[in-house]
Amino acid sequence: MSEVNKPLNFIEKIIEEDLRTGRVKEVRTRFPPEPNGYLHIGHAKSIVLNFGLAKKYGGKCNLRFDDTNPTKEDMEFVDSIKEDVRWLGFQWDGDIKYSSDYFDQLYEWAIYLIKQGKAYVCDLSQEETREYRGTLTKPGKPSPYRNRSIEENLELFEKMRRGEFEEGACSLRAIIDMAHPNMQMRDPVLYRIKKASHHQTGDKWCIYPSYDFAHGQGDAIECISHSICTLEFEEHRPLYDWFIENLPVPCTPHQYEFSRLNVNYTITSKRKLKQLVDEKVVDGWDDPRMPTISGMRRRGFTPKSIRKFCELAGVTRTDGVVDVSTLEFTIREDLNENAPRAMCVLHPLKVVLTNYPEDKTETMIAPGHPNRDDLGERKLPFGRDIFIDQDDFRESANKKYKRLVLGKRVRLRNAYIIEADEAIKDEDGNIVEVHARIIEDTVGKNPADGIKAKGVIHWVSAKENVDCEVRLYDRLFTEPEPGAGGKGFMESLNPNSLTVLTSCKGEIGLATADKETHFQFEREGYFYQDCKHSSPDHLVFNRTIGLRDTWK
Ligand code: ATP
Ligand code: MG
């Protein structure tokens, strides 16, 4: 469907109505990651949505780090998030924002609430606080500290800030309604004591605002028009609005929720992904099997394919699971159109062309891409000894096997038709070499004797090729919903998610190709050099995805 007549999603409808009625003059969105891990495919959806809406409606999108919990956050994550957002093709408006930029303002607003009689310092322990809060079916009961005087609260809050209390000794809470049917409204915590240094503010603070007290106010300070988050925050919306109504904020943002992106055979939870990293199940956050943006980049996904996938997933308020094959489809589609072709033999088997002179070489010409002249031509040296894939030869086979068989013909891609005569074996009976003959005058032509080849296989010259390592990836999990049915998600790990092939032979052009080129290795799939392990002396290719869906 073209951009023009694509139906509007529910958020676009809201925005268009807001622009029409004048409630909103300029669309301003934000993407608000917490820097406590690397971004994953679920975040990509939020990025594409927030930056995409700003772009579509001529507005702006901020990147704001939601950094209210210093103990779990780190600059490594801040840096990776910036890189990932840019790589996906988006640019935030102005400087990067941090919730911590607003700590002074939030502190003032906390004092404002105390002065209004709308916040108090509560000495209940975390556990007592939970008890007093009640349940969904039982109203909470007021904290015994709820009636402290404004003066006393101001003094105690100041002492909290100065570090005079231990962690957990007290907290600042809003005075709302302990019997409210929405549990979020039962005197939520605004500030906690945390004697931790912060990656942005250092040791300036030992009290930190809660997510709820920081988020909407950050939106208000930045004049966000549409604050878009995932459905689990729906219940927080009344509290979001309460703060906006009860504080002297400069703008009145609104929160809208959409459903999270879930993908089968995948996990989209930073906590679980972190566990895979910490327990060294994978080679870091950017392991090519990880559903992180950095892992997908390393594996060879393109920004375009990820954006397309996020668009196909749609924006709704109903929870659902997107089939991972949709993602595989979008990357195949992009690479099929744009990836130059090359030949690479993954499991080499030597073929000696006995009727081809040992000292002769020819150069075969092959297109860079079957229908993209702009991708030029490849020169393929051809000689008496070549490598084909072990899977492409059998001593005997039925008609369905359209590759090389003794006494039968096959075409070498972009070169001659050959016919196999003999399989040479080692003492254990393994085939170590094949003797075959070229059929004269068959480059780009059918043979004069009319006996055609049934199939086409790829090959490389045994003399002139480039050694490379190829890493094949399979899904990281064997089950559609890893960890479902009371099992831990670790129990659904696929033990065969990585296969490393160390003696592959690629066509010589691969040695000098740009590191960033995505290739289709003909008949094998799409490949991309591994940014961590590939070097000119030791090429390492990751298989991004196979040519077609073969997963069972
Ligand atoms: P996780 O559950 O993986 O820890 P999170 O929601 O805690 O994710 P944040 O850094 O807070 O991670 O997320 C930043 C933004 O991305 C939020 O607005 C959040 O709603 C959105 N987001 C996170 N996961 C998804 C997802 N699976 N689908 C869509 N949006 C998501
Ligand atoms: Mg979060």
Side-chain angles (χ1 to χ4, degrees):
M1 226 177 287
S2 81
E3 195 54 41
V4 189
N5 49 29
K6 204 164 69 178
L8 297 182
N9 66 47
F10 81 96
I11 295 179
E12 290 169 329
K13 283 184 190 155
I14 291 169
I15 290 179
E16 296 201 359
E17 181 65 6
D18 285 344
L19 289 170
R20 196 185 61 75
T21 61
R23 187 189 82 76
V24 167
K25 298 274 176 300
E26 188 192 35
V27 172
R28 196 176 264 274
T29 54
R30 85 287 169 267
F31 173 63
E34 182 179 359
N36 61 352
Y38 280 61
L39 297 182
H40 53 62
I41 184 73
H43 295 112
K45 172 150 173 185
S46 177
I47 292 170
V48 169
L49 178 61
N50 280 296
F51 283 91
L53 288 170
K55 195 167 168 205
K56 177 167 179 182
Y57 294 104
K60 297 190 169 103
C61 182
N62 293 351
L63 173 60
R64 184 198 318 147
F65 287 99
D66 217 332
D67 55 350
T68 55
N69 185 0
T71 54
K72 290 191 175 157
E73 297 164 3
D74 200 285
M75 271 314 274
E76 176 196 352
F77 301 134
V78 169
D79 293 337
S80 75
I81 290 169
K82 291 196 282 194
E83 186 184 359
D84 288 351
V85 171
R86 268 198 229 106
W87 179 77
L88 278 174
F90 299 106
Q91 182 58 52
W92 49 88
D93 182 54
D95 293 337
I96 303 251
K97 316 280 193 285
Y98 295 89
S99 293
S100 56
D101 294 342
Y102 312 135
F103 282 176
D104 286 313
Q105 176 68 80
L106 292 169
Y107 178 72
E108 271 178 43
W109 280 338
I111 291 174
Y112 176 90
L113 287 179
I114 295 174
K115 288 185 175 163
Q116 300 279 311
K118 291 175 183 166
Y120 65 105
V121 173
C122 178
D123 299 353
L124 290 180
S125 68
Q126 243 183 2
E127 208 179 299
E128 289 164 329
T129 307
R130 210 173 303 128
E131 261 170 45
Y132 273 74
R133 225 171 145 226
T135 64
L136 280 174
T137 50
K138 200 178 97 203
K141 55 180 180 183
S143 158
Y145 306 99
R146 206 176 198 246
N147 295 320
R148 280 176 161 159
S149 69
I150 290 175
E151 288 65 36
E152 193 186 356
N153 280 319
L154 287 172
E155 199 179 308
L156 289 171
F157 188 48
E158 174 60 15
K159 282 187 171 171
M160 275 174 70
R161 188 189 63 79
R162 286 207 306 255
E164 293 181 22
F165 300 120
E166 290 310 305
E167 281 190 19
C170 50
S171 61
L172 184 73
R173 298 175 67 183
I175 297 179
I176 306 183
D177 179 358
M178 286 309 289
H180 202 287
N182 182 330
M183 306 260 297
Q184 305 295 332
M185 300 297 273
R186 297 182 189 170
D187 291 10
V189 171
L190 310 185
Y191 267 94
R192 280 191 189 86
I193 300 168
K194 254 182 222 156
K195 302 210 165 159
S197 258
H198 186 286
H199 51 99
Q200 300 299 321
T201 58
D203 292 323
K204 177 170 177 189
W205 299 93
C206 62
I207 55 171
Y208 289 96
S210 62
Y211 166 87
D212 289 304
F213 192 59
H215 198 87
Q217 282 65 277
D219 288 343
I221 293 168
E222 295 173 16
C223 275
I224 298 301
S225 60
H226 299 83
S227 176
I228 300 165
C229 60
T230 35
L231 273 173
E232 69 271 24
F233 292 101
E234 184 172 21
E235 218 191 281
H236 296 238
R237 186 168 6 111
L239 180 55
Y240 183 105
D241 292 340
W242 189 89
F243 288 129
I244 298 297
E245 279 157 28
N246 286 280
L247 288 170
V249 289
C251 282
T252 54
H254 286 254
Q255 174 184 302
Y256 304 91
E257 310 88 20
F258 71 104
S259 57
R260 293 176 79 84
L261 172 71
N262 301 303
V263 183
N264 63 6
Y265 296 99
T266 305
I267 48 178
T268 45
S269 148
K270 272 186 278 189
R271 185 180 58 76
K272 291 179 184 168
L273 294 174
K274 185 171 188 305
Q275 198 180 333
L276 294 174
V277 175
D278 290 346
E279 296 183 19
K280 300 203 166 22
V281 172
V282 294
D283 170 30
W285 285 96
D286 66 348
D287 184 295
R289 291 165 293 180
M290 290 281 269
T292 51
I293 310 288
S294 51
M296 295 172 77
R297 172 167 65 234
R298 186 171 155 198
R299 172 134 163 193
F301 278 80
T302 57
K304 187 178 162 195
S305 65
I306 296 176
R307 290 194 305 260
K308 176 83 184 277
F309 170 71
C310 293
E311 278 158 25
L312 288 176
V315 180
T316 66
R317 284 179 57 85
T318 27
D319 272 319
V321 180
V322 179
D323 202 313
V324 68
S325 63
T326 310
L327 182 58
E328 296 167 352
F329 164 78
T330 59
I331 183 63
R332 265 191 208 106
E333 184 184 54
D334 184 12
L335 295 180
N336 182 38
E337 234 168 78
N338 299 307
R341 277 35 176 178
M343 292 196 284
C344 182
V345 175
L346 303 191
H347 315 93
L349 171 65
K350 194 170 195 179
V351 176
V352 179
L353 301 167
T354 53
N355 64 341
Y356 197 89
E358 194 170 354
D359 53 359
K360 182 177 170 183
T361 55
E362 283 176 79
T363 302
M364 304 298 173
I365 301 296
H369 187 288
N371 34 36
R372 287 274 305 270
D373 291 345
D374 59 313
L375 294 178
E377 280 181 348
R378 298 136 63 196
K379 292 193 167 65
L380 307 171
F382 184 88
R384 191 178 75 131
D385 297 346
I386 60 169
F387 288 117
I388 66 167
D389 199 284
Q390 285 162 20
D391 291 342
D392 285 338
F393 173 75
R394 284 190 200 164
E395 290 177 89
S396 61
N398 67 21
K399 282 202 177 112
K400 275 201 220 141
Y401 185 79
K402 294 191 167 60
R403 310 181 199 176
L404 189 61
V405 178
L406 286 182
K408 300 269 168 59
R409 291 180 179 184
V410 80
R411 175 173 292 284
L412 297 176
R413 184 107 171 120
N414 306 303
Y416 291 99
I417 289 176
I418 63 171
E419 187 171 317
D421 297 321
E422 191 186 356
I424 313 292
K425 296 180 184 171
D426 64 13
E427 57 251 41
D428 301 324
N430 302 309
I431 299 171
V432 291
E433 194 171 292
V434 173
H435 288 185
R437 275 169 295 115
I438 62 160
I439 309 301
E440 296 288 351
D441 200 26
T442 52
V443 180
K445 287 186 209 161
N446 279 321
D449 63 10
I451 307 174
K452 292 185 191 164
K454 286 266 161 35
V456 182
I457 63 173
H458 60 286
W459 57 278
V460 294
S461 156
K463 220 189 255 164
E464 292 179 76
N465 63 57
V466 46
D467 288 321
C468 50
E469 177 177 322
V470 165
R471 300 180 176 192
L472 305 177
Y473 300 102
D474 200 346
R475 292 176 184 173
L476 194 49
F477 295 97
T478 51
E479 287 175 57
E481 202 185 328
K487 287 196 297 187
F489 72 98
M490 289 287 200
E491 288 174 57
S492 310
L493 278 169
N494 176 1
N496 304 314
S497 58
L498 169 65
T499 307
V500 180
L501 305 174
T502 52
S503 49
C504 309
K505 305 279 187 187
E507 68 178 59
I508 46 165
L510 293 179
T512 49
D514 186 301
K515 243 187 120 141
E516 307 285 316
T517 309
H518 299 261
F519 282 102
Q520 183 194 95
F521 290 169
E522 296 188 71
R523 301 181 62 237
E524 295 290 0
Y526 296 98
F527 292 79
Y528 188 61
Q529 279 191 50
D530 188 278
C531 61
K532 265 197 184 161
H533 297 121
S534 194
S535 69
D537 302 328
H538 179 66
L539 292 180
V540 178
F541 285 94
N542 292 321
R543 184 168 69 189
T544 309
I545 189 78
L547 288 177
R548 58 191 76 79
D549 190 0
T550 53
W551 207 83
K552 281 171 225 82

